[in-house]
Amino acid sequence: MLSREDVIAARATPPGSGAISVVRISGPVALIVADKVVRRPLSDCNSHTAHLRNLVDEDGSFDEALAVVFKAPKTYTGDDTVEFSVHGSDYIVHRLLKALFNAGARSAEAGEFTFRAFFNGKLDLAHAEGVADLIAADSAASHRAAFHQLKGGVSKDIEELRQELIRFAALIELELEFGEEDVEFAGS
């Protein structure tokens, strides 16, 4: 069972060496956890701001990171979130994740950030499925369909169909109730 009270951490970029890797943490006390792995605290920073910080663990300073702070509720997950952009070596990413785990975070399960967004009312089920489809898109057509779903197109279409069904159900009930009488119904 996934606990929504935990701070979760995961690499947000694909594994392997590159110029930059992003590690994301999110949870009710994510800023407190983040403060334990940086030289100067992030918890006092404004939301939606970026800050250059030295990363530290029990062995000392090990990299510089651009830390972007997102404060609840205006975040993807609805919880406090910090994204660390670090130099892209696997060694640095693993060391940062280890420091975050030692500071109180746990490893996020696959899709757990999106699950939290769904659970906290940031996404409906169609939007959440759109995220998964967008990540898996391998053609222009599948990308367009997933992006449409992510932006609420499917949810809007479903709501329009729902309203039509409600209207039809009301007309059927009227017909069943007053069908033998000589009554003309508006909108029929």
Side-chain angles (χ1 to χ4, degrees):
M1 183 75 179
L2 300 176
S3 170
R4 294 184 339 267
E5 299 304 311
D6 294 344
V7 173
I8 55 174
R11 185 179 195 151
T13 49
S17 294
I20 302 280
S21 289
V22 177
V23 173
R24 178 181 300 134
I25 66 170
S26 186
V29 293
L31 292 168
I32 293 169
V33 171
D35 282 349
K36 294 178 182 177
V37 301
V38 293
R39 284 243 188 263
R40 291 180 312 168
L42 294 164
S43 54
D44 296 334
C45 298
N46 291 330
S47 186
H48 295 74
T49 57
H51 308 273
L52 188 62
R53 293 291 190 266
N54 286 319
L55 298 175
V56 295
D57 61 12
E58 67 275 358
D59 295 327
S61 185
F62 64 91
D63 195 22
E64 269 189 337
L66 184 64
V68 183
V69 175
F70 302 96
K71 293 187 177 180
K74 294 183 178 187
T75 68
Y76 176 73
T77 63
D79 292 324
D80 288 341
T81 301
V82 178
E83 292 184 352
F84 295 96
S85 295
V86 297
H87 293 99
S89 92
D90 283 336
Y91 171 77
I92 292 171
V93 170
H94 291 298
R95 193 162 169 187
L96 173 55
L97 285 169
K98 182 180 175 191
L100 290 167
F101 298 152
N102 289 340
R106 69 167 171 81
S107 183
E109 298 293 326
E112 191 170 0
F113 289 97
T114 299
F115 168 77
R116 286 189 179 193
F118 169 73
F119 195 85
N120 289 332
K122 295 296 186 173
L123 301 174
D124 64 18
L125 188 56
H127 286 98
E129 289 174 349
V131 170
D133 292 346
L134 193 58
I135 292 168
D138 59 0
S139 69
S142 62
H143 173 266
R144 271 191 308 276
F147 193 68
H148 175 71
Q149 184 173 351
L150 179 66
K151 289 300 180 187
V154 172
S155 296
K156 182 179 174 229
D157 295 343
I158 290 171
E159 181 56 27
E160 288 173 2
L161 288 172
R162 180 181 169 282
Q163 291 300 322
E164 276 296 301
L165 287 171
I166 290 170
R167 190 177 78 78
F168 286 139
L171 288 173
I172 290 170
E173 284 185 35
L174 282 171
E175 184 65 34
L176 290 172
E177 186 71 30
F178 302 104
E180 294 179 5
E181 299 178 22
D182 193 25
V183 177
E184 181 105 3
F185 298 110
S188 56

